[in-house]
């Protein structure tokens, strides 16, 4: 329940992996999820049914009001920063960060969620850029045992154009905003961080990932080392390069 509170709606497959140390039997873990749902601590968001062959996909669980109340009464509730937007974007962002959180745990690193970073600095997720704001889909950091690196997350649902003359979000406009954010260390100042910050771009397909990499190398070469691209958005992320995952970057220098 704390894992869901931190990240957002998560699949039963992932939740079993999170609790594998205490629930080695998958069937027992799934029955426990069903019991928490029957007791109104968890619920199944109806949006997950609006996809092809939904009956063959794992259930996605989210925290119900009774679950939030239970965490609050137990003194476990936190002012977490969950992803926003339409439900599928929320679910994909949650799945991505939850997988990284779990992998960090397996490697002996500590995943630092956004609310810890923002609470310490008294900052908002949005970085002010004059009349506009840069709002990443999520923010987190990794503690590699006394060495730190922070990450801003952008999840591409495949609907953003490479460039647009209209007042809408595109890859070019987003990269321009990030260039401005990194110039002069604005992101570090806003979030109160001394650790270096990178951007994780999550793409749904390898084709989208490759197109983004070409744009990055062509137009934003100066700050290209600040950006990591990976695909797919669902399941285990696959990063570009032999040493380009958040866990290979153990030395923030």
């Amino acid at each position: 329940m704390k894992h869901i509170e931190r990240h957002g709606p998560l699949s039963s497959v992932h939740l079993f992996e999170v609790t594998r140390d205490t629930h080695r039997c998958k069937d027992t873990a799934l029955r426990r999820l069903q019991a928490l749902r029957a007791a109104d601590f968890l619920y199944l968001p109806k949006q997950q049914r609006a996809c092809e062959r939904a009956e063959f996909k794992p259930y996605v669980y989210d925290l119900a009001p009774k679950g939030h109340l239970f965490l609050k009464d137990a003194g476990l509730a936190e002012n977490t920063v969950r992803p926003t937007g339409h439900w599928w974007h929320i679910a994909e962002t949650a799945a991505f960060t939850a997988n990284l959180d779990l992998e960090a745990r397996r490697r002996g690193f500590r995943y630092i969620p956004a609310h810890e970073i923002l609470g310490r600095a008294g900052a908002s997720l949005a970085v002010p850029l004059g009349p506009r704001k840069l709002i990443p889909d999520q923010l987190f950091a990794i503690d590699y045992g006394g060495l730190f690196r922070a990450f801003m997350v952008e999840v591409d649902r495949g609907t953003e154009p490479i460039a647009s003359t209209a007042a809408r979000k595109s890859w070019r406009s987003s990269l321009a905003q990030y260039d401005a954010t990194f110039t002069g260390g604005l992101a570090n100042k806003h979030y109160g961080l001394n650790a270096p910050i990178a951007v994780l771009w999550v793409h749904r397909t390898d084709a989208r990932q490759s197109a983004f990499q070409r744009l990055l190398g062509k137009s934003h070469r100066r700050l290209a080392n600040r950006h990591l691209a990976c695909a797919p958005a669902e399941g285990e992320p696959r990063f570009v390069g032999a040493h380009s995952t958040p866990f290979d970057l153990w030395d923030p220098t």
Side-chain angles (χ1 to χ4, degrees), residues 14 37 46 48 51 65 75 77 82 88 91 104 106 157 161 163 195 202 211 235:
H14 177 82
R37 174 192 170 194
K46 62 182 180 180
Q48 65 186 291
C51 66
R82 286 167 47 116
W88 287 105
R106 287 171 174 169
R157 280 280 300 161
V202 190

Side-chain angles (χ1 to χ4, degrees), residues 45-66:
K46 62 182 180 180
Q47 293 92 332
Q48 65 186 291
R49 309 303 299 171
C51 66
E52 187 176 0
R53 307 306 293 267
E55 65 273 18
F56 294 104
K57 298 182 183 296
Y59 280 139
V60 174
Y61 288 86
D62 205 349
L63 206 57
K66 189 175 178 180

Side-chain angles (χ1 to χ4, degrees), residues 1 36 187-188:
M1 290 170 66
L36 289 170
N188 287 79

